[in-house]
Amino acid sequence: MAKPGILIVMSAPSGAGKNTLLAAIGEMEQNLATTISATTRMPRPGEEDGREYHFLSWTDFEARIAAGDFVEWAKVHSNLYGTLKCELDRCLNAGSDVILEVDVQGMRSVRGVRDDVVSIFLMPPSLDELARRLRARGTDEEEVIALRLQNAHAEMAARHEFDYIVVNDDLEHAAADMVAILRAERCRAWRQP
C-alpha cells in the first residue's frame, strides 16, 4: 500500500493567481494531484464539467450535502462550492499529495474534520494589483468585481490562521516558495515510516 499523500489546503482571494500558480507547481512536482471541486455556478466559456469543476444544480448539490459527500463546502459569491470526500480520499490513498484549493471558510471546515492539513494563504501583492487582475480577466461585471474585492479584504484579514503565507508578486518565486513548503512537509519526522 502506498504511503498516504500530504493534504495541503490553499486559500486566496479571487484573482490572486491560484490557477496559474497551481499549473506552475504541477510542472515542477510529479507526485501532485488537484481534486476537482463541485460548484453550482455556471461554466465559463471553455470550461468543461469534470475538468475545471463538477457543475451541479442546487438541488443535486444540496442532496450531496445531506448525504455527507463533502469534506467541505461553502456559499461563496452567491454559489455553492465544495470538495467531494471521494475525490480527496482517492488521491491521498494512492500516495499523491493534494493541494486543495478552497476559500477561508473551506480551510476552517477541513481543519475541523482532519488533523493532517497543511494550510497556505496565497496573497496578492496589493489590493490594487488584485483589482487590476480581476478586470484584466474580462469575465465579470464591475459589481461582481467590487464584491470580490470586498471579500478579498476579509479573506486577507484571516491570513494568520494559516501555517504559511506566500505572496504571489512573481510567479517563479511564488511557485518556488510553494514547492519548498511541500518538500519540507514531506520531510517532517512524524510523516516518516
Side-chain angles (χ1 to χ4, degrees):
M1 181 174 185
K3 179 180 169 183
I6 297 169
L7 173 57
I8 294 183
V9 173
M10 181 177 78
S11 300
S14 179
K18 295 180 296 283
N19 294 333
T20 304
L21 184 58
L22 287 173
I25 295 166
E27 298 278 323
M28 301 166 75
E29 289 294 311
Q30 301 304 310
N31 189 41
L32 197 58
T34 303
T35 60
I36 299 169
S37 297
T39 184
T40 57
R41 82 158 169 78
M42 296 300 295
R44 293 181 181 138
E47 290 183 332
E48 292 182 21
D49 184 50
R51 188 178 68 191
E52 285 79 17
Y53 287 96
H54 295 291
F55 294 100
L56 303 176
S57 69
W58 274 85
T59 304
D60 290 343
F61 199 106
E62 289 175 335
R64 300 212 58 181
I65 291 170
D69 291 345
F70 289 100
V71 67
E72 62 80 29
W73 67 272
K75 185 176 181 183
V76 182
H77 306 305
S78 304
N79 286 296
L80 299 175
Y81 291 83
T83 304
L84 294 164
K85 288 179 180 178
C86 60
E87 281 263 330
L88 183 59
D89 289 342
R90 178 184 53 80
C91 295
L92 291 173
N93 292 338
S96 295
D97 298 325
V98 174
I99 296 180
L100 189 60
E101 178 196 336
V102 298
D103 68 351
V104 173
Q105 297 172 62
M107 180 278 294
R108 291 172 180 149
S109 295
V110 175
R111 270 222 165 124
V113 297
R114 296 188 66 115
D115 60 1
D116 60 346
V117 176
V118 176
S119 60
I120 301 172
F121 190 83
L122 182 64
M123 286 280 291
S126 68
L127 281 174
D128 288 341
E129 174 60 15
L130 185 63
R132 188 199 66 74
R133 290 177 185 179
L134 289 171
R135 289 185 178 97
R137 288 197 309 200
T139 58
D140 296 316
E141 299 293 325
E142 193 60 34
E143 63 193 28
V144 174
I145 291 172
L147 177 61
R148 290 184 188 278
L149 289 171
Q150 180 183 346
N151 290 341
H153 189 270
E155 290 168 334
M156 290 189 309
R159 67 189 178 276
H160 296 292
E161 295 179 37
F162 290 77
D163 299 317
Y164 300 94
I165 297 172
V166 172
V167 178
N168 191 12
D169 55 353
D170 176 86
L171 180 61
E172 187 177 318
H173 290 127
D177 287 347
M178 292 283 292
V179 169
I181 292 166
L182 181 59
R183 291 179 180 169
E185 289 296 327
R186 287 178 183 150
C187 293
R188 279 194 183 258
W190 63 267
R191 293 189 193 280
Q192 302 306 313

